[in-house]
Amino acid sequence: MADTKAITRLKKTKELLKIERDEDFRLYNDMFLRVNIEQRRKNGVTWYPIKINNEELGYGELMHLEIERTTNINQAHQFSSGKNVSLFSNRQDEVLEITGTIKAVSKNTLKLILHSDEMPDWCYEGKLGINIQFDDNSYTEMQNALDVVINAKSGRIAELREMIEGEMPIAFEKINNEVLIPQLNLSQNRAVRHVLSTNDIGVIHGPPGTGKTTSLANAIRLTLQTEKQVMVCAPTNAAVDVLTEKLLELGIDVLRLGHPARISEDLMQSSVDGKVSASPYYKDIKNLRRNAEEYFRMAGKYKRVFGKEDAKQRAAYYQEARNSIKEARLLEDFIVDELFKNSQVICCTPVTATHRALQRKKFNTLFFDEASQALEAMVWIPLLKCNRLILAGDHFQLPPVVKSQEAKKGGLNISMLDRCIEFENAVVLLKRQYRMNNAIMGYSNVYFYNNELESDDSVASHALLYDDDSYLSKSLEFIDTAGCSFDEIQNPETLSHSNPKEADILFKHLVQLSNDYAAHTDLPEINVGIISPYREQREYLMDNQSQYEFNRNKISSIAIKTIDGFQGEERDVIYISLVRSNEQQEIGFLADLRRMNVAITRAKKKLVLIGDSATVGSNPFYKGFLEHCEKHGLYRTAWEWL
């Protein structure tokens, strides 16, 4: 029998995924395997030498370390929470290493959880470093999932495969209009009712600030009235944590799966290890382990055995130790089995859905949040265990990360959300947003959302200051660096761009804003976010902010991140440094308009963009945005601060 359209496409997707994996590994090799330790340090993928400041046994009976680098202080690096690394010894005679996962990281220190309950002896002999590891596991799981989907001849997986391709109709029950949650607005209630009526595939389209995760959490709560247990996923651990938090607030019993290093500290009580520790049987497990240690210690006294009786006694101690360990494991397995059986929600990233305790489990519904960021193959991993799918996200925000240009051209970056958003009857749009005032929302609303969004009355006209004469009362500012010779600089190693002079103007504006705002003693505290699409500029901004004296009287915090770092977040004031300034009018990945949509929709009261209109204005999106700023805010020139 000939392949269906869906099978043909998924076979191609599998090939593209291999191309992407190979490109990812090539980039890793270029930065890591083919270069010496000094170059790896420069590339930001190795810290060496390091010292261990602290070690303790933590959650999951795993060793927690606090590590500090002792050279290359403050140099940019690529270590981030959740990444797998290897702790190694740089002795010449042999390669010694142990793997772990980063829990938290700052400029020069990080918290590492080893995949072991003890430190190897060589860790105490110095010459230590850490390397970022290549993560092949997610590629393997995606390929395995696609194999199952491609080979499904019949059954639910085959049906869902054809539905997602648009080759088979999607069915719905009659919508129950009596379902009404007082805390939700009209379109949020419509979204919840839509989810409850979906038999196959439903989509909650949630533009910025519209309460997508709140709507999803309430839909999950009502679904649990008819289903004993559901699976909930998101592509990043941060997104899974946000959803877990929302569900806990609604009083839902959530089991948050994942490595302890990848789970927020505040949510550890919802993790497997946290729930095992809280079990009334945990005392017994600890006692059994303590007994095992004691028996091992007593057996260890018999170093040299001279008689039969001594040998028998030592064997008996070892047997007792093994029995205690076995009993402790059985008790722990019983607790874990009960958790997986009785928790209302299993919440995790897609790859974690392959957890051994879930191998034979089936769910009726998969809820998948932030679906725009997930590769289609990634969604299939948990979907193989489920009968129906609810996607939530916004296909005008962050797309999946695809490093290979060939794979991107082939369509690997087209997500399952991109495909399902085409089925009009499957999609419900959240229309009311609670973050931005009208001026900040305006351009994004027209450009991306067909002007269908509306600001809630609580935010529609809010501003830093209600005074027509002050720039503080203007919600939008564009500071133009055209003609100032603020040329971009490219780092030859990372190929990322920075623009130090543009950063200087940004900080000078922020100094002025902080002083002028603080002069109004009756105004509330505000928080500030500084965004640059370029990592090199973000590093420059972070390294140089201390040279400027901001008035902190009214500013509670200043955060500096890339666009991806601000996904899902908001600030009273947002600065965006566009960086690119060149005669060729090249704007690089500023042309990724979905990313820029995320950046310009993070601000609640004031948005300040700084860039070269002669460079970015060559793109119709930025040209339109400049015109929007002139019409609804302030257009200023960088010469004011020179």
Side-chain angles (χ1 to χ4, degrees):
M1 197 177 93
D3 286 349
T4 65
K5 193 174 156 194
I7 291 173
T8 303
R9 184 180 61 75
L10 289 169
K11 281 181 175 176
K12 187 190 173 196
T13 301
K14 207 175 156 218
E15 289 166 17
L16 294 172
L17 198 58
K18 186 181 182 308
I19 291 167
E20 171 67 5
R21 186 251 171 228
D22 291 347
E23 174 65 6
D24 201 0
F25 191 55
R26 184 190 70 75
L27 292 169
Y28 174 79
N29 274 344
D30 286 349
M31 254 199 270
F32 198 89
L33 299 180
R34 294 191 189 123
V35 295
N36 61 26
I37 200 164
E38 189 50 48
Q39 189 58 49
R40 295 201 319 254
R41 291 198 314 193
K42 277 187 183 168
N43 289 342
V45 294
T46 295
W47 280 7
Y48 179 84
I50 57 162
K51 62 177 181 175
I52 297 171
N53 290 336
N54 188 35
E55 57 181 90
E56 61 184 26
L57 206 58
Y59 268 113
E61 301 292 307
L62 296 172
M63 190 58 74
H64 292 223
L65 308 180
E66 190 179 285
I67 284 168
E68 183 181 356
R69 59 173 165 179
T70 53
T71 60
N72 296 63
I73 306 296
N74 296 333
Q75 190 178 44
H77 61 77
Q78 298 188 42
F79 290 84
S80 58
S81 58
K83 276 193 177 174
N84 284 333
V85 297
S86 60
L87 177 68
F88 68 88
S89 170
N90 198 33
R91 296 192 317 199
Q92 297 304 312
D93 48 346
E94 56 183 323
V95 177
L96 300 165
E97 61 178 9
I98 183 170
T99 60
T101 305
I102 298 172
K103 175 74 177 170
V105 66
S106 63
K107 260 219 140 69
N108 299 305
T109 60
L110 59 80
K111 288 182 177 165
L112 178 65
I113 301 183
L114 293 182
H115 302 155
S116 169
D117 58 359
E118 61 180 354
M119 297 257 289
D121 291 340
W122 52 261
C123 286
Y124 301 101
E125 294 164 14
K127 290 203 164 184
L128 296 179
I130 51 170
N131 291 325
I132 290 176
Q133 285 194 310
F134 182 72
D135 179 19
D136 213 15
N137 188 35
S138 58
Y139 288 109
T140 304
E141 295 299 348
M142 284 192 282
Q143 293 279 14
N144 291 344
L146 287 177
D147 282 338
V148 175
V149 180
I150 288 165
N151 294 320
K153 299 282 183 272
S154 59
R156 191 55 177 161
I157 293 166
E159 287 175 358
L160 287 168
R161 177 188 70 207
E162 301 306 316
M163 286 175 189
I164 289 161
E165 199 62 35
E167 300 289 293
M168 192 172 168
I170 299 170
F172 297 89
E173 300 291 329
K174 189 174 184 302
I175 285 179
N176 180 1
N177 287 312
E178 288 178 17
V179 173
L180 184 69
I181 301 167
Q183 302 89 319
L184 301 187
N185 67 38
L186 198 66
S187 65
Q188 288 172 333
N189 268 298
R190 198 181 297 125
V192 171
R193 291 196 285 266
H194 176 69
V195 167
L196 298 178
S197 75
T198 299
N199 286 337
D200 305 307
I201 297 167
V203 178
I204 297 177
H205 180 196
T210 52
K212 166 181 60 66
T213 307
T214 299
S215 305
L216 191 65
N218 276 283
I220 291 167
R221 180 175 64 83
L222 292 189
T223 300
L224 285 165
Q225 292 177 359
T226 54
E227 296 177 23
K228 184 173 180 282
Q229 193 177 59
V230 299
M231 175 168 265
V232 174
C233 286
T236 66
N237 281 288
V240 175
D241 283 344
V242 168
L243 204 41
T244 302
E245 225 164 80
K246 280 265 193 275
L247 293 168
L248 291 171
E249 283 169 16
L250 293 174
I252 294 166
D253 178 22
V254 184
L255 183 61
R256 167 69 167 101
L257 300 191
H259 190 285
R262 296 190 174 105
I263 300 174
S264 157
E265 210 68 59
D266 301 338
L267 298 174
M268 283 309 294
Q269 73 275 13
S270 296
S271 71
V272 175
D273 294 321
K275 291 200 171 202
V276 167
S277 302
S279 163
Y281 299 111
Y282 189 61
K283 264 202 323 281
D284 301 329
I285 292 171
K286 282 186 93 167
N287 287 338
L288 286 164
R289 283 190 182 137
R290 208 173 288 126
N291 290 348
E293 280 174 22
E294 186 58 23
Y295 283 128
F296 275 129
R297 193 183 61 75
M298 291 192 290
K301 286 181 177 177
Y302 294 87
K303 293 287 184 206
R304 292 179 186 162
V305 179
F306 298 105
K308 268 188 179 177
E309 284 306 309
D310 287 344
K312 270 172 75 178
Q313 187 60 54
R314 185 173 76 156
Y317 282 141
Y318 273 131
Q319 190 55 47
E320 285 298 331
R322 281 193 287 271
N323 289 345
S324 293
I325 285 171
K326 188 179 175 186
E327 217 174 314
R329 278 192 187 137
L330 285 171
L331 197 47
E332 191 166 339
D333 286 346
F334 168 75
I335 298 169
V336 171
D337 283 346
E338 288 298 298
L339 288 175
F340 277 93
K341 205 182 291 174
N342 299 320
S343 298
Q344 290 176 287
V345 173
I346 306 291
C347 211
C348 59
T349 57
V351 172
T352 313
T354 59
H355 191 288
R356 59 185 173 78
L358 293 174
Q359 269 169 9
R360 288 186 183 82
K361 273 189 89 71
K362 280 282 181 191
F363 302 85
N364 189 46
T365 309
L366 167 65
F367 291 91
F368 202 107
D369 199 10
E370 301 296 359
S372 72
Q373 295 179 57
L375 291 170
E376 181 183 359
M378 194 59 88
V379 182
W380 274 115
I381 298 171
L383 186 52
L384 295 179
K385 302 177 185 300
C386 306
N387 289 321
R388 73 178 191 131
L389 170 66
I390 305 298
L391 297 168
D394 180 9
H395 57 301
F396 295 125
Q397 291 191 64
L398 293 185
V401 174
V402 175
K403 293 172 181 172
S404 159
Q405 286 308 309
E406 186 185 345
K408 198 177 272 189
K409 276 182 193 144
L412 187 66
N413 60 332
I414 298 171
S415 68
M416 197 178 283
L417 181 72
D418 291 325
R419 297 188 188 285
C420 295
I421 208 95
E422 299 296 318
F423 313 140
E424 278 183 37
N425 60 338
V427 183
V428 63
L429 173 70
L430 300 177
K431 293 185 176 184
R432 183 169 290 267
Q433 67 85 19
Y434 296 85
R435 175 183 300 157
M436 302 161 274
N437 63 32
N438 284 329
I440 295 171
M441 176 189 76
Y443 190 67
S444 179
N445 191 14
V446 171
Y447 196 93
F448 293 103
Y449 304 108
N450 208 22
N451 216 15
E452 289 188 70
L453 300 189
E454 53 195 47
S455 304
D456 188 70
D457 290 344
S458 60
V459 302
S461 58
H462 68 180
L464 289 180
L465 185 67
Y466 299 96
D467 173 1
D468 285 344
D469 294 332
S470 171
Y471 73 98
L472 291 176
S473 66
K474 297 290 185 186
S475 302
L476 284 172
E477 279 187 57
F478 185 82
I479 299 169
D480 195 354
T481 65
C484 296
S485 300
F486 287 5
D487 295 341
E488 65 192 49
I489 299 167
Q490 187 176 37
N491 182 325
E493 282 163 7
T494 64
L495 302 181
S496 184
H497 293 81
S498 64
N499 195 321
K501 289 178 181 175
E502 184 176 290
D504 178 56
I505 297 294
L506 186 154
F507 282 136
K508 282 177 177 172
H509 187 285
L510 180 52
V511 168
Q512 183 185 1
L513 182 140
S514 66
N515 284 329
D516 292 349
Y517 189 78
H520 298 269
T521 52
D522 55 329
L523 294 176
E525 273 196 343
I526 54 169
N527 50 33
V528 176
I530 300 174
I531 300 176
S532 181
Y534 288 91
R535 198 176 290 272
E536 199 73 23
Q537 181 77 337
R538 189 205 66 173
E539 296 296 337
Y540 183 87
L541 289 161
M542 289 177 77
D543 290 345
N544 289 277
Q545 64 172 318
S546 58
Q547 294 176 26
Y548 299 83
E549 290 186 20
F550 309 117
N551 189 323
R552 299 272 182 168
N553 289 343
K554 290 283 185 181
I555 295 181
S556 58
S557 65
I558 299 174
I560 303 174
K561 301 181 188 181
T562 59
I563 294 173
D564 295 46
F566 269 109
Q567 169 73 4
E569 295 190 20
E570 59 187 29
R571 294 290 187 275
D572 295 308
V573 179
I574 286 284
Y575 284 84
I576 304 175
S577 170
L578 295 175
V579 178
R580 300 309 298 266
S581 179
N582 56 73
E583 288 179 7
Q584 296 75 33
Q585 297 183 318
E586 286 175 3
I587 64 169
F589 66 72
L590 288 187
D592 185 345
L593 303 184
R594 285 167 59 160
R595 261 194 167 70
M596 192 47 60
N597 185 37
V598 172
I600 65 174
T601 54
R602 299 305 100 193
K604 291 157 74 175
K605 297 179 179 179
K606 189 170 183 68
L607 174 64
V608 183
L609 269 85
I610 304 169
D612 179 352
S613 65
T615 299
V616 301
S618 60
N619 179 290
F621 173 84
Y622 292 98
K623 185 173 183 286
F625 191 71
L626 288 172
E627 288 164 2
H628 180 75
C629 286
E630 284 190 72
K631 189 175 171 187
H632 296 282
L634 276 176
Y635 174 87
R636 304 172 78 174
T637 170
W639 290 103
E640 288 182 45
W641 289 271
L642 286 176

